[in-house]
Amino acid sequence: MGQPLLACSGKQVAPAIRSSLVSPSNRGWLWPVSVSRLAKADIQCIDFRGRFSLWLWLLPIAAMFLSGCATNGTEPAIPEIASAAPTVERIHFFGNEAFSGFALRGAMETKQRSKLTFWKPGSPYQSDVLEDDLLRLRKYYFDRGFLNTQAAVDDVVESDDGETVSIQIGIDEGAQTQVESVGITGQRPPELPTEDVLVEDLALRAGKPLNKQQFDESASSLQENLEDAGYARASIRPDTQVDDAASSARVQFELLPRDRTRFGAITVTGAEQ
């Protein structure tokens, strides 16, 4: 069985760094993050064992630890353009099979000139924004089960008049991780249905791709079940074990109901009729 992995720019983080980043009460799988351009990239760090996301404003605190990520060479730099302010005419992709170029362009901040509003220019070419867009593309894939996707700018071609550029981005999708099993552990209150019934109602299902939205919906559904049964202080602790070699994942949701919440005395005040 694979172990939880914290990925930083596609590289594995040493266990010591991982333990420094993740508290014992919130330990588990994290979506990839980047230490470059943290202030601008709209990238979330998603914890498979926590219920909520760690927003970008938390990431600079962890940047000092992430700087220890092992690297095998220097990643290619995004080309700079000599022209003062070229706009983006076209963004081309190659190597993408699971998602269309239209879908991938929608995940980017850099925008090409629209064919519908052809009289409007595309967004200004900015190498730092394009660098962040590579992270957004990886996150787009990651959220849909492609845990090892790589994206790189293959070429930036400037027009003869220097007013526009065309961008070529290469995608190495890798394998899509499939959910091997979904289980429920912890203390199941008697008010809740059986484990089989609970699992059957979850959005995340065995035999389907690992998907962030379905993962979040499943955790929220179990949380609501506990709260509806009177366990207002309940929580869900997910745990995901990923086997990279088999491109599979085992997901467990631990139920932590705590004490059942009860109403105290109810007093009605106001004018009498």
Side-chain angles (χ1 to χ4, degrees):
M1 181 184 298
Q3 297 299 317
L5 170 68
L6 174 64
C8 172
S9 299
K11 310 300 189 299
Q12 184 169 349
V13 178
I17 299 172
R18 185 189 308 128
S19 63
S20 300
L21 284 170
V22 188
S23 66
S25 62
N26 203 27
R27 191 166 51 245
W29 177 273
L30 295 178
W31 297 98
V33 296
S34 170
V35 296
S36 63
R37 325 214 67 84
L38 283 173
K40 293 185 179 180
D42 183 20
I43 307 298
Q44 288 184 12
C45 179
I46 310 300
D47 187 347
F48 265 121
R49 291 197 58 169
R51 183 181 174 198
F52 301 105
S53 305
L54 296 176
W55 293 98
L56 179 64
W57 56 268
L58 289 178
L59 295 181
I61 301 174
M64 65 181 73
F65 299 106
L66 286 173
S67 62
C69 293
T71 58
N72 297 321
T74 303
E75 296 183 0
I78 305 298
E80 298 287 350
I81 296 297
S83 301
T87 58
V88 178
E89 179 70 13
R90 288 287 178 265
I91 301 175
H92 303 278
F93 294 93
F94 63 91
N96 56 308
E97 297 181 359
F99 307 109
S100 67
F102 178 82
L104 296 180
R105 282 189 289 270
M108 300 174 62
E109 183 175 334
T110 302
K111 301 297 182 184
Q112 69 176 20
R113 183 168 62 89
S114 172
K115 294 180 180 179
L116 296 178
T117 55
F118 57 88
W119 61 89
K120 294 182 180 180
S123 60
Y125 175 79
Q126 296 174 286
S127 59
D128 56 344
V129 175
L130 184 55
E131 184 178 351
D132 293 342
D133 280 332
L134 297 180
L135 301 177
R136 294 185 179 95
L137 290 170
R138 289 177 56 201
K139 182 179 183 299
Y140 183 90
Y141 272 92
F142 205 102
D143 287 351
R144 292 155 180 80
F146 291 85
L147 308 186
N148 298 300
T149 295
Q150 298 297 317
V153 174
D154 181 69
D155 199 7
V156 177
V157 180
E158 190 174 8
S159 62
D160 293 338
D161 58 12
E163 293 186 358
T164 63
V165 296
S166 294
I167 303 171
Q168 279 201 9
I169 297 177
I171 302 290
D172 181 3
E173 293 182 332
Q176 188 176 32
T177 299
Q178 305 294 314
V179 178
E180 179 180 336
S181 63
V182 179
I184 294 177
T185 62
Q187 182 181 353
R188 181 178 58 83
E191 296 82 6
L192 264 63
T194 63
E195 178 183 347
D196 290 343
V197 173
L198 289 173
V199 170
E200 183 66 24
D201 289 339
L202 298 180
L204 192 70
R205 295 181 178 273
K208 300 295 184 180
L210 184 63
N211 181 282
K212 174 187 176 296
Q213 180 177 346
Q214 294 173 357
F215 182 95
D216 291 344
E217 290 175 357
S218 299
S220 296
S221 175
L222 292 172
Q223 179 80 25
E224 291 174 3
N225 276 322
L226 288 171
E227 292 173 352
D228 290 345
Y231 297 88
R233 293 185 293 273
S235 61
I236 304 298
R237 182 182 297 163
D239 185 15
T240 300
Q241 298 289 329
V242 176
D243 186 339
D244 283 328
S247 298
S248 64
R250 297 179 180 180
V251 182
Q252 288 188 330
F253 297 96
E254 182 180 359
L255 306 183
L256 302 171
R258 298 183 174 87
D259 294 334
R260 200 174 189 190
T261 305
R262 301 182 184 278
F263 287 107
I266 299 176
T267 303
V268 178
T269 62
E272 296 183 358
Q273 296 292 331

